[in-house]
Amino acid sequence: MDEQDGVVRLVESLPVGYLAVDGDWQITYANAAAERFLGQARAGLVGVSMWTAFPDNERNEFGRTYREAVATGEPRSVEAYYPPPYDQWFQAQAVPDGDGLAVFFTDVSDRRAAQERLALLARVSAQLAGSVVDGSVTARLAQLLVPALGDWCLLTVVDADGRPQDVGWWHADPARRELVDRYAAGRLAAMPAGAPVVRALSGETVVSPVADVLALLPPSRTRDLIEQLDTGWGLAIPLRGRDRVLGVLTLCFDRGHEPLDADLLVARQVADRIGQALDNARLFRQQRQLAETLQRSLLTRPVHHEGVEIVVRYAPAAEAARIGGDWYDAFVQPSGALMLVIGDVVGHDTAAAAAMGQLRALLRGIATYSDAGPVEVLRGLDASMELLSVGTYATSAVARFEPTEGAARGTTRMRWTNAGHLPPLVIHPDGTLADMPPWRGELLLGVDPQVSRTESEVTLAAGATVLLYTDGLIERRDGDLDEGMDRLREAATELAGASLDDLCDQLIDRLVDGRPDDDVALVALRLRPAPED
């Protein structure tokens, strides 16, 4: 008797629930923890069939696990959700005991809720990671948040002009999504100053019953839609950036479901992540606009020169972080010779764009004062970079166009050199590509001002076209420069008969689909036939 009493005391002291089930599946014992977890007196359990006390076990994971433990004689474990009236997650272990079964179980709802919150935060972070947040991203976020955080939600974002706009919304109930669509279309315009979403735009987190919102609204379509959505409570949480509110997350709960402190905690964590992502996107756009504006301000229109047509193009990288130091130039030297320049400063940021402006101005000043050829111009630039401690590296190609004399009169001589830059592409008037001298990528600018540089020369007939370009036109992350050069040569051959404007536009469209991985600078020259020709 004492031994049996000891066993009873031990079972009663267990922190986990315990049910003893006999061979006929009748519950013969339930301890105090079982009463606590189930919210039911043991008198209502003992003597009752397991399948009567827990009817859902007939078809759920718990029932399958218990039967398997009895059939195999081996302990089995399970963790699963039991629907109302319990509405809880349980972890249970079924241990065969003679002809019957000993079931040990505990409520793991809090742990599961914490895991689900962490999983939700991970999904939100994954949705926001690696891309600029835009309307499509926030629209998808609304679907992630429901029903995990509420029965339905709306995401409001403040646009570049400071106007709030609802950009994403979703309802867990498909039958009510059309109502939310209609509500989102006009709710911001209908909300008075004291409405939760307006207060949240000022930085306040608002938890309120919907009845308070209805009290603020006069009879209107918006008020009718709120009532039709059968909502009891709402949360309006600011989406905070570093120094401003960038939007609002509004979570709504059906009648009978009042948000708990845990709901508010997770909602704030989600809102903080969305706000940070929106702020990063804002700064990303600012950086892109600043770098692109700076770069474009330094790239002047091409010079007008008798006998030639010049067209320039600059296409910024699709990613703001890739905008940098590509440049082009075209100007006339004192002797009347025309000089074309293309270059690329190492780096992709506003510092690279600023360095590009320095190098471009230096080169232009050296070339227009000295009237020197390509090699001497680059030598002078290299020396100036060292003397002035410019502290950057760059590639460049410089070509000088001079009329020929004597027997070759009527043609143009092109002399060119490079500092680690890609070679010019020359298209003859008949559309074929010129066989250029073997290309040798010489040392970059900014490395050694004493380096010896070489010059190449080619004679061009009237109607010939010359292209100078940066590597963004032909380079791919999944390919090499040789493949890119082949694509360029093929496209240039097909487009040889196009106007110079169309040639440049089509090359960019074909080779980078209008969205280059890197900046693209392109300068094209076509020699016009002489009037008598």
Side-chain angles (χ1 to χ4, degrees):
M1 196 61 132
D2 290 342
E3 182 179 349
Q4 185 175 0
D5 288 344
V7 171
V8 170
R9 285 197 297 273
L10 176 62
V11 169
E12 287 299 319
S13 68
L14 289 175
V16 299
Y18 167 74
L19 297 175
V21 182
D22 66 17
D24 294 324
W25 295 101
Q26 280 201 334
I27 300 172
T28 60
Y29 190 88
N31 72 350
E35 289 184 303
R36 186 170 67 254
F37 288 138
L38 298 173
Q40 185 175 353
R42 70 183 78 188
L45 295 170
V46 175
V48 178
S49 166
M50 164 74 79
W51 315 115
T52 301
F54 307 99
D56 283 279
N57 284 357
E58 289 277 6
R59 56 188 177 278
N60 65 16
E61 287 298 316
F62 294 107
R64 283 190 285 272
T65 301
Y66 301 156
R67 292 190 187 95
E68 186 178 343
V70 170
T72 63
E74 299 288 338
R76 291 290 186 268
S77 297
V78 62
E79 181 173 307
Y81 170 75
Y82 198 97
Y86 298 109
D87 190 25
Q88 292 167 271
W89 278 84
F90 292 104
Q91 185 181 63
Q93 184 173 32
V95 180
D97 183 14
D99 292 336
L101 199 64
V103 178
F104 302 90
F105 66 96
T106 186
D107 180 358
V108 294
S109 299
D110 289 343
R111 174 170 62 77
R112 292 291 303 205
Q115 290 173 337
E116 289 173 3
R117 288 195 292 269
L118 289 174
L120 174 63
L121 290 174
R123 290 195 298 272
V124 170
S125 297
Q127 185 73 63
L128 296 171
S131 63
V132 177
V133 177
D134 57 22
S136 64
V137 172
T138 47
R140 293 193 298 270
L141 276 176
Q143 298 181 36
L144 277 182
L145 304 182
V146 171
L149 291 183
D151 295 296
W152 58 286
C153 76
L154 301 103
L155 273 166
T156 308
V157 173
V158 177
D159 65 18
D161 296 323
R163 296 188 299 264
Q165 296 183 354
D166 283 331
V167 296
W169 50 86
W170 197 252
H171 202 299
D173 180 4
R176 285 184 278 180
R177 286 175 192 160
E178 188 268 338
L179 290 174
V180 177
D181 289 344
R182 290 159 53 196
Y183 176 65
R187 76 141 180 171
L188 290 177
M191 289 298 163
V197 65
V198 179
R199 291 161 60 189
L201 285 168
S202 299
E204 180 183 355
T205 296
V206 183
V207 183
S208 67
V210 168
D212 290 354
V213 179
L214 292 174
L216 296 171
L217 294 173
S220 62
R221 181 172 177 267
T222 298
R223 195 179 196 281
D224 293 342
L225 287 169
I226 293 175
E227 292 177 332
Q228 292 174 51
L229 283 163
D230 198 29
T231 301
W233 284 81
L235 295 178
I237 306 169
L239 304 178
R240 301 180 187 277
R242 291 165 178 81
D243 58 358
R244 67 195 68 191
V245 173
L246 298 169
V248 175
L249 169 61
T250 303
L251 297 168
C252 302
F253 303 83
D254 286 348
R255 295 185 190 277
H257 181 188
E258 183 176 346
L260 306 175
D261 289 343
D263 297 324
L264 180 57
L265 174 63
V266 179
R268 278 178 168 156
Q269 291 175 327
V270 169
D272 287 345
R273 297 197 182 194
I274 297 173
Q276 184 179 27
L278 288 171
D279 205 31
N280 289 342
R282 178 181 64 87
L283 295 175
F284 184 97
R285 288 190 293 269
Q286 286 182 350
Q287 172 74 7
R288 178 187 179 87
Q289 185 177 11
L290 174 62
E292 186 177 339
T293 301
L294 174 60
Q295 194 156 7
R296 288 191 183 279
S297 70
L298 297 171
L299 299 176
T300 55
R301 293 182 178 180
V303 67
H304 292 285
H305 190 65
E306 185 178 356
V308 301
E309 178 186 3
I310 302 174
V311 169
V312 295
R313 293 291 185 270
Y314 168 69
E319 300 176 16
R322 301 293 295 172
I323 294 176
D326 290 27
W327 92 88
Y328 58 77
D329 206 352
F331 51 85
V332 178
Q333 294 183 280
S335 63
L338 176 67
M339 186 163 277
L340 294 190
V341 182
I342 196 82
D344 187 358
V345 172
V346 173
H348 298 92
D349 52 23
T350 51
M356 174 271 285
Q358 286 183 282
L359 298 191
R360 182 176 183 271
L362 280 171
L363 187 150
R364 173 176 273 224
I366 292 166
T368 53
Y369 177 77
S370 67
D371 201 23
V375 165
E376 285 303 309
V377 168
L378 285 189
R379 284 184 59 198
L381 179 58
D382 233 347
S384 296
M385 289 172 66
E386 182 181 49
L387 184 64
L388 299 174
S389 301
V390 173
T392 192
Y393 304 102
T395 69
S396 182
V398 179
R400 175 174 160 129
F401 298 84
E402 308 162 341
T404 55
E405 302 294 337
R409 187 176 179 85
T411 60
T412 299
R413 179 173 59 207
M414 181 180 80
R415 297 161 51 200
W416 71 280
T417 189
N418 82 88
H421 204 86
L422 296 166
L425 186 72
V426 176
I427 308 172
H428 289 311
D430 62 2
T432 60
L433 300 183
D435 292 325
M436 300 293 287
W439 175 70
R440 176 172 170 260
E442 299 187 358
L443 195 63
L444 274 67
L445 296 166
V447 178
D448 178 9
Q450 303 303 320
V451 69
S452 176
R453 299 191 181 278
T454 60
E455 192 171 273
S456 300
E457 183 177 312
V458 64
T459 299
L460 306 174
T465 301
V466 178
L467 300 176
L468 299 181
Y469 48 91
T470 55
D471 57 4
L473 182 65
I474 65 171
E475 196 172 31
R476 292 291 176 280
R477 292 174 181 174
D478 57 352
D480 58 33
L481 287 177
D482 289 337
E483 293 174 352
M485 283 297 301
D486 290 341
R487 288 195 301 271
L488 173 60
R489 293 173 66 87
E490 180 181 349
T493 302
E494 293 178 7
L495 297 167
S499 69
L500 205 55
D501 279 302
D502 287 345
L503 172 64
C504 293
D505 291 337
Q506 288 294 321
L507 285 176
I508 292 175
D509 286 342
R510 289 193 185 192
L511 296 178
V512 299
D513 299 322
R515 291 182 55 81
D517 293 335
D518 196 357
D519 284 5
V520 173
L522 172 65
V523 55
L525 174 147
R526 180 167 290 168
L527 299 174
R528 293 192 178 102
E532 58 269 27
D533 292 339

